[in-house]
């Protein structure tokens, strides 16, 4: 509470205030929801002054931010101790008790005094004002930067960093946050290259994945939500990346930013529990911390950052003992989406209770349809940064990379549960694009959607041509980022010299292919698994793997000289037709072990039904569970209810002849208990991607990583899918390259989508092995 100044001091202060401008660049406004409350009038004999104690109360439904003041509209006596004068009226500055003025909250009291003069009657009229100058926030964001196509991502990151530096230095937009919505790294060549001793000078203590963390640090990322791929090697490996470490006098700094995810309980896992920190802290003060939500101070305005991770986490990665809520989740079930929103809303409410009215949700939901479905279920969330789906959104001014196709408008404008606007943004991964959203916020935290500028907002392709349009090049990248990327490239390039076999065709491992339809790369790796499994058990007939386990294509994608027409894109074999160790480790980054199980006919039907249960004709719906197979063919219809989509299913022999018809016209035929020996991935056999594999006669083929390695190639453990792929190529395609070209979805022989046209019968089964 301010003391009453002496009459002389008060008069001098008021005189000086009248000589000064009110508040530079302020737009003071009286609002009906900003109420002045004041005490009765008191008299201070010692000071010879009357006074009241006054404060402001927010009677509205939204938190208010921005400078606040109480104006003396009318006073019968001279005002003492004012903070200034505006338009001939004295004013007193007031401060909220929190980070802003929450609904129903009050500011602190100020004492407004009047000098006693003769017998004049003391009275005054007050009103509240707020500076409602819009606050422009620049959000720079990324997601899914976890590419296993190591060379591509490590080249892209330099352009990404250059753009990041450029926009962060733009004086027009000084209020910037830099955030990730998860999947910041993934097991693969780039991940493991960071453990090479040559990285010691740059990382301090080399280690798997640390190159990615160090680049994020250097680029100034302030917070991230947790994706699924950060946990692919388990929780101990995750915290080894984000936590600080010391080794023989060298130090690994760990992540200089926190991970936030409010629907995960990190305290229940032994590895992550020591990193748990209290919610709501300033992100800069909790490096390598794990929380549900945090705050970022951006030039005096507090931004709330809430995280959320897909509840399907337990089916798609290795979360250890981390608690996941809701415990069961079906993204097509409205009640489950409501339950997920109910896990997120308390974090948002905790922020708004502090007076914070700018809230960003970092949501790693795998399918952008889920982030869109969350938007109308949440209150007081302003921006949702989607993650996990690699969905490329763009606007009319954006220049996309050759071959890329926009999957929607940037940003997606939706309406929240409270009737207020909420924006959803996302972009493709692998450092291909930097996302940029500049939005004006009112003092009550509402985004001015009419003011969104397509010339500013959108996605910025990290190509040399696009950089040049802004007078930039990769030389403008952060030097630490460049040094780390170059050294990782040097380590990775050495892998590219180890040739496994040849291919005459482009091997399609693109996300939009392997997760929605049969792929020739899916065929090849499923064939390889079947071939290797038969070295142990000749009775194996069927190979099933998930499309989400294929992480990169093998080959070259380019335009003919002089063309930029997407229809002219050419998909070419790898350079010189050589498939390398780097290709194998990039495409099969998880290197799952192979597992043999026995399925009944009914169980085989159920497994394939599960594989297509969540698929659709929407190109943005890229389900990692989609099956890539060998030894069988099936047809399915996405328009039918999940669980009854498979219309035909047959097991074939090596000549291509059908030896057992399992499903006809949607119905199981023959003895449902007859059995088939199947090879799959240990990940799937253990319930990964939710697959209902039984443990009947289970045999795990993968050898311990320390066991002696045999065969033509020894870079991968025996019995792993990289080992199967390498040995298969080396045995059958060392001299004459693999020649099964990718086909249009309409012509896929092993898995036929009947929703694409009116088909009733699959075409003949493709021979699974030479």
């Amino acid at each position: 509470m301010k003391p009453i100044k002496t009459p002389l001091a008060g008069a001098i202060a008021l005189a000086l205030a009248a000589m000064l401008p009110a508040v530079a660049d302020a737009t003071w406004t009286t609002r009906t929801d900003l109420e002045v409350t004041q005490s009765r009038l008191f008299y201070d004999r010692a000071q010879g002054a009357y006074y009241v104690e006054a404060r402001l109360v927010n009677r509205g439904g939204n938190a208010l931010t921005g400078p606040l003041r109480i104006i003396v509209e009318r006073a019968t006596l001279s005002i003492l101790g004012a903070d200034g004068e505006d338009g001939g009226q004295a004013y007193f500055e007031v401060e909220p008790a929190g980070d802003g003025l929450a609904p129903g909250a009050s500011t602190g009291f100020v004492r407004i005094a009047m000098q006693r003069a003769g017998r004049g009657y003391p009275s005054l009229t007050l009103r509240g004002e707020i500076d409602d100058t819009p606050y422009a926030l620049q959000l720079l964001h990324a997601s899914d930067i976890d590419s296993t196509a190591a060379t591509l991502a490590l080249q892209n990151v330099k352009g990404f960093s250059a753009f990041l530096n450029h926009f962060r230095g733009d004086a027009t937009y000084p209020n910037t946050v830099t955030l990730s919505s998860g999947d910041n790294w993934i097991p693969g060549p780039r991940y493991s290259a960071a453990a090479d001793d040559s990285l010691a000078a740059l990382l301090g203590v080399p280690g798997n994945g640390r190159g990615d963390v160090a680049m994020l640090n250097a680029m100034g990322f302030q917070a991230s939500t947790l994706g699924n791929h950060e946990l692919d090697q388990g929780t101990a490996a995750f915290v080894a990346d984000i936590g600080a470490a010391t080794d023989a006098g060298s130090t690994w700094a760990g992540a200089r930013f926190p991970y936030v995810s409010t629907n995960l309980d990190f305290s229940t896992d032994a590895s992550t529990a020591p990193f748990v920190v209290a919610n709501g802290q300033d992100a800069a003060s909790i490096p390598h911390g794990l929380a549900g939500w945090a705050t970022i101070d951006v030039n005096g305005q507090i931004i709330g950052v809430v995280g959320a991770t897909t509840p399907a986490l337990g089916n798609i990665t290795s979360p250890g003992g981390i608690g996941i809520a809701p415990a069961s989740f079906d993204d097509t079930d409205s009640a489950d989406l409501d339950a997920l929103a109910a896990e997120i809303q308390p974090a948002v409410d905790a922020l708004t209770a502090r007076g914070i009215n700018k809230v960003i949700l970092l949501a790693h939901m795998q399918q952008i349809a889920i982030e869109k479905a969350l938007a109308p279920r949440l209150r007081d969330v302003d921006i949702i940064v989607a993650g996990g789906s690699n969905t490329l959104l763009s606007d009319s001014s954006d220049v996309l990379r050759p071959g890329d196709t926009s999957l929607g408008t940037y940003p997606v404008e939706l309406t929240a549960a409270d009737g207020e606007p909420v924006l959803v943004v996302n972009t493709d991964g692998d450092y291909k694009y930097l996302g940029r959203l500049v939005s004006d916020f009112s003092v009550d935290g509402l985004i001015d959607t009419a003011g969104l500028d397509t010339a500013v907002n959108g996605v910025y392709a990290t190509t040399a041509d696009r950089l040049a349009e802004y007078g930039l090049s990769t030389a403008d990248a952060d030097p630490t980022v460049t040094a780390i990327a170059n050294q990782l490239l040097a380590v990775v390039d050495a892998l590219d010299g180890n040739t496994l076999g040849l291919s005459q065709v482009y091997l399609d491992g693109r996300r939009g292919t392997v997760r929605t339809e049969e792929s020739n790369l899916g065929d090849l790796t499923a064939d390889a698994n079947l071939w290797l499994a038969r070295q142990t058990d000749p009775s194996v007939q069927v190979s099933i793997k998930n499309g989400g386990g294929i992480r990169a294509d093998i080959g070259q994608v380019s335009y003919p000289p002089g063309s930029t027409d997407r229809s002219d894109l050419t998909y070419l074999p790898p350079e010189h037709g050589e498939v390398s160790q780097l290709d194998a480790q990039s495409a099969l980054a998880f290197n799952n072990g192979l597992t043999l199980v026995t399925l009944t006919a009914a169980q085989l039907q159920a497994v394939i039904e599960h594989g297509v249960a969540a698929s659709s004709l929407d190109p943005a719906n890229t389900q990692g569970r989609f099956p890539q197979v060998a030894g069988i063919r099936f047809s399915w219809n996405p328009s039918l209810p999940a669980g009854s989509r498979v219309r035909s299913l047959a097991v074939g022999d090596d000549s291509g002849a059908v030896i057992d018809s399992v499903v006809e016209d949607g119905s199981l035929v023959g003895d449902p208990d007859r059995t088939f020996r199947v090879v799959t991935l240990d990940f799937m056999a253990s319930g990964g991607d939710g697959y209902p594999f039984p443990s009947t006669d289970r045999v795990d083929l993968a050898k311990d990583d320390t066991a002696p390695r045999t065969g033509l190639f020894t870079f991968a453990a025996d019995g792993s899918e990289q080992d199967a792929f390498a040995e298969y190529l080396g045995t059958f395609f060392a001299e004459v390259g693999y020649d099964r070209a990718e086909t249009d979805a309409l012509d896929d022989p092993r898995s036929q989508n009947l929703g694409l046209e009116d088909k009733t019968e699959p075409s003949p089964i493709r021979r699974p092995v030479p």
Side-chain angles (χ1 to χ4, degrees), residues 49-139:
Y50 296 96
Y51 70 91
V52 297
E53 292 181 343
R55 64 180 179 178
L56 296 178
V57 182
N58 180 5
R59 298 300 187 192
N62 291 317
L64 299 173
T65 55
L68 298 162
R69 67 184 187 181
I70 295 175
I71 291 281
V72 181
E73 271 194 334
R74 185 188 63 84
T76 59
L77 300 175
S78 298
I79 299 297
L80 304 176
D83 291 310
E85 184 178 293
D86 190 356
Q89 296 178 321
Y91 66 80
F92 292 79
E93 297 168 352
V94 290
E95 297 291 337
D99 295 305
L101 193 60
S106 305
T107 66
F109 282 101
V110 294
R111 180 173 289 188
I112 300 175
M114 297 180 292
Q115 184 179 10
R116 181 176 181 180
R119 295 181 178 275
Y121 182 76
S123 68
L124 77 171
T125 303
L126 307 176
R127 77 169 187 272
E129 288 189 337
I130 188 168
D131 176 9
D132 69 354
T133 303
Y135 177 84
L137 179 67
Q138 176 175 239
L139 166 64

Side-chain angles (χ1 to χ4, degrees), residues 558-576:
S558 66
Y559 283 110
S563 173
T564 58
D565 186 340
R566 190 173 184 275
S567 64
D568 291 338
L569 269 177
T570 56
Y571 296 86
L572 303 174
E575 189 172 7
H576 307 303

Side-chain angles (χ1 to χ4, degrees), residues 511-709:
R511 180 188 180 97
T513 303
V514 296
R515 291 168 175 247
T516 63
E517 62 179 276
E518 180 185 343
S519 149
N520 68 338
L521 180 54
D523 289 348
L524 177 57
T525 181
D527 289 346
N529 293 351
L530 182 57
W531 172 79
L532 191 70
R534 287 175 172 172
Q535 312 307 304
T536 299
D537 184 347
S539 70
V540 177
Q541 294 174 277
V542 178
S543 173
I544 304 171
K545 62 176 294 175
N546 60 330
I550 300 174
R551 308 303 303 181
D553 57 354
I554 301 175
Q556 306 172 80
V557 182
S558 66
Y559 283 110
S563 173
T564 58
D565 186 340
R566 190 173 184 275
S567 64
D568 291 338
L569 269 177
T570 56
Y571 296 86
L572 303 174
E575 189 172 7
H576 307 303
E578 296 175 347
V579 180
S580 70
Q581 177 182 338
L582 176 61
D583 291 325
Q585 292 180 323
S586 297
L588 305 175
F590 303 142
N591 198 28
N592 294 291
L594 304 186
T595 294
L596 306 183
V597 293
T598 297
L599 300 184
T600 65
Q603 290 168 338
L604 178 60
Q605 179 190 28
V607 163
I608 301 301
E609 284 281 9
H610 176 80
V612 299
S615 297
S616 69
L617 296 179
D618 180 358
N621 181 11
T622 50
Q623 298 286 336
R625 70 168 87 169
F626 187 86
Q628 299 290 333
V629 301
I632 60 172
R633 71 177 187 215
F634 65 93
S635 64
W636 61 288
N637 193 330
S639 67
L640 297 176
S644 60
R645 292 181 167 185
V646 175
R647 306 304 299 159
S648 62
L649 171 62
V651 176
D653 64 15
D654 290 354
S655 70
V658 172
I659 60 174
D660 198 326
S661 183
V662 180
V663 175
E664 296 177 3
D665 295 327
S667 298
L668 185 67
V669 295
D671 181 2
D673 295 324
R674 67 190 188 280
T675 60
F676 304 94
R677 197 68 168 147
V678 177
V679 60
T680 188
L681 307 180
D682 55 8
F683 165 73
M684 297 167 66
S686 300
D689 272 341
Y691 266 95
F693 278 102
S695 58
T696 311
D697 301 325
R698 175 169 175 163
V699 176
D700 291 313
L701 301 184
K703 300 295 190 294
D704 183 272
D705 199 48
T706 61
R709 298 177 181 182

